[in-house]
Amino acid sequence: SQAPSVISSTVKQWYQRRVRGFVSVMFLITLLLLSVSCGRRVLGNDEQAATLLQGRRPGANTCQDLVETLDVMKSQVTATNLYLQEIRTTLKSVTARLDKLEQGQKDVVTIVNGKASELKDTVYELEDTVSGALEVMKRSGELIPAVKVEQSTTYHDCCVAEKAVDGDLSTQSHTTCDLAKQWFRYYFSGEQAIGLIKVVNGKLNVNKHRLNGLRVVAMVNDLQRRPCRVDTVNVREGDTVEAQTYHLDCTGNSGIGVEFILDTSTCLEFRQIAVFAPQYV
């Protein structure tokens, strides 16, 4: 980002040195010619003086020749000044272009730094997700298989409740979206101690927020429910399976299953549900 400033400074310094050198040389030449020509006239003999008075030209050593030479030099200086003015204008244009380029480079650096910061935040979020998943794996006991699952409504035959427990992440369960409350029930073979619960969002796109606010409770029996320690899904950004995998904790409860409840008047969708027994160390 410093290159344009350095180039501009170097060009200006070169221009100033050339102008000063040119003026010095012209001044010295003028003095030399004055000394040679007019010096001869003043210091010459009477014959030379008489010759000058009579208008005779003894060669290029008279002041008249010097005047003519200076006229030529004056015209050359005028042309040189015009040329120097053109150089000044060009230098101003180059400087403006270099300043614009430097500003463009600064803008690019700002954009790159912003994108790098966003990428770093995304990496940190992914690391947190992976760490959470690893922690769950360490703390989880054995999988409690579902002997039966059911949901409040079904959107289509492709999206029945069993799709949430088939072990296939390419399928999903899906309720309709027309009720104020939707639920999904996961039944055990009998009463079981409950530990951690893993839920994979049914949507990996802009509709992923439908799952926001989902709650889980332990089903003590067909009528009684108990809250879990970590019982609510707060949907985060990211459209990957890893980003849309959530871990709930029902440790300390036991029952015949777990129930998921959504009170937001939208669809309830799961790509996968897994319930684990507590991990006893």
Side-chain angles (χ1 to χ4, degrees):
S1 62
Q2 299 299 325
S5 298
V6 174
I7 294 174
S8 177
S9 176
T10 302
V11 171
K12 290 179 179 178
Q13 292 175 3
W14 173 86
Y15 166 74
Q16 293 171 353
R17 289 197 299 269
R18 293 295 298 272
V19 170
R20 287 197 296 267
F22 177 80
V23 172
S24 299
V25 170
M26 295 298 294
F27 181 72
L28 291 175
I29 291 175
T30 302
L31 290 179
L32 179 61
L33 290 174
L34 285 170
S35 300
V36 172
S37 298
C38 289
R40 288 186 177 183
R41 180 180 177 183
V42 173
L43 299 176
N45 54 33
D46 294 339
E47 182 181 353
Q48 289 176 320
T51 301
L52 290 174
L53 291 174
Q54 294 174 6
R56 290 181 296 165
R57 295 171 55 86
N61 294 325
T62 67
C63 285
Q64 182 63 33
D65 291 336
L66 178 59
V67 170
E68 293 176 358
T69 302
L70 289 176
D71 287 339
V72 174
M73 291 176 62
K74 181 179 180 181
S75 64
Q76 291 177 345
V77 168
T78 301
T80 301
N81 286 334
L82 293 175
Y83 176 67
L84 293 177
Q85 182 61 39
E86 183 178 350
I87 291 178
R88 292 190 193 98
T89 303
T90 303
L91 285 175
K92 290 180 180 179
S93 176
V94 171
T95 300
R97 290 175 179 269
L98 291 175
D99 290 341
K100 185 176 181 180
L101 177 60
E102 184 176 4
Q103 183 59 47
Q105 289 179 331
K106 290 180 179 178
D107 293 341
V108 170
V109 170
T110 300
I111 293 173
V112 170
N113 288 339
K115 294 296 182 182
S117 180
E118 292 177 5
L119 180 60
K120 185 183 296 184
D121 292 340
T122 302
V123 171
Y124 286 155
E125 290 179 3
L126 182 58
E127 288 178 347
D128 291 341
T129 301
V130 172
S131 297
L134 292 174
E135 184 64 23
V136 167
M137 292 176 63
K138 292 177 182 178
R139 294 168 49 200
S140 297
E142 294 183 358
L143 175 69
I144 304 174
V147 296
K148 183 177 74 170
V149 290
E150 57 184 8
Q151 56 189 7
S152 51
T153 58
T154 299
Y155 184 64
H156 284 303
D157 292 341
C158 64
C159 306
V160 296
E162 286 75 15
K163 296 296 183 180
V165 293
D166 62 0
D168 186 354
L169 290 174
S170 65
T171 64
Q172 67 173 85
S173 64
H174 195 318
T175 68
T176 61
C177 306
D178 55 355
L179 297 181
K181 178 180 179 179
Q182 300 282 4
W183 51 261
F184 186 102
R185 293 170 183 158
Y186 183 114
Y187 289 94
F188 309 146
S189 59
E191 184 173 352
Q192 295 274 356
I194 308 170
L196 298 177
I197 302 169
K198 182 176 76 172
V199 172
V200 181
N201 198 335
K203 292 299 185 187
L204 304 179
N205 53 31
V206 294
N207 293 322
K208 57 182 172 289
H209 294 287
R210 290 177 177 175
L211 201 66
N212 197 54
L214 174 74
R215 294 182 297 110
V216 63
V217 294
M219 296 193 300
V220 179
N221 51 48
D222 289 334
L223 300 177
Q224 187 178 1
R225 304 290 187 264
R226 287 181 183 162
C228 295
R229 298 197 308 181
V230 179
D231 63 349
T232 304
V233 169
N234 295 307
V235 173
R236 53 181 170 262
E237 295 302 321
D239 295 338
T240 63
V241 170
E242 292 78 10
Q244 292 306 312
T245 298
Y246 301 91
H247 301 94
L248 307 172
D249 190 355
C250 219
T251 302
N253 284 303
S254 62
I256 61 173
V258 294
E259 182 178 25
F260 300 92
I261 304 168
L262 189 62
D263 298 313
T264 56
S265 301
T266 187
C267 316
L268 179 56
E269 303 163 81
F270 294 109
R271 197 168 290 264
Q272 196 65 21
I273 298 175
V275 182
F276 298 91
Q279 175 67 57
Y280 298 106
V281 180

